[in-house]
mmCIF file of all heavy atoms in Angstrom:
data_model
loop_
_atom_site.group_PDB
_atom_site.id
_atom_site.type_symbol
_atom_site.label_atom_id
_atom_site.label_comp_id
_atom_site.label_asym_id
_atom_site.label_seq_id
_atom_site.Cartn_x
_atom_site.Cartn_y
_atom_site.Cartn_z
ATOM 1 N N MET A 89 -10.951 21.978 -1.863
ATOM 2 C CA MET A 89 -11.676 21.466 -3.052
ATOM 3 C C MET A 89 -10.716 21.146 -4.193
ATOM 4 O O MET A 89 -10.949 20.221 -4.978
ATOM 5 C CB MET A 89 -12.750 22.468 -3.488
ATOM 6 C CG MET A 89 -13.851 22.688 -2.480
ATOM 7 S SD MET A 89 -14.681 21.165 -1.907
ATOM 8 C CE MET A 89 -15.540 20.691 -3.436
ATOM 9 N N ILE A 243 -34.814 11.899 14.120
ATOM 10 C CA ILE A 243 -34.081 12.844 14.906
ATOM 11 C C ILE A 243 -34.530 14.266 14.647
ATOM 12 O O ILE A 243 -34.701 14.711 13.492
ATOM 13 C CB ILE A 243 -32.531 12.682 14.621
ATOM 14 C CG1 ILE A 243 -31.738 13.577 15.579
ATOM 15 C CG2 ILE A 243 -32.215 12.984 13.176
ATOM 16 C CD1 ILE A 243 -30.241 13.237 15.579
ATOM 17 N N VAL A 264 -11.495 37.847 20.931
ATOM 18 C CA VAL A 264 -12.659 38.103 20.080
ATOM 19 C C VAL A 264 -13.254 39.455 20.431
ATOM 20 O O VAL A 264 -13.612 40.254 19.562
ATOM 21 C CB VAL A 264 -13.706 36.968 20.201
ATOM 22 C CG1 VAL A 264 -15.004 37.358 19.498
ATOM 23 C CG2 VAL A 264 -13.175 35.681 19.622
#
Side-chain angles (χ1 to χ4, degrees):
M89 296 305 292
I243 187 168
V264 171

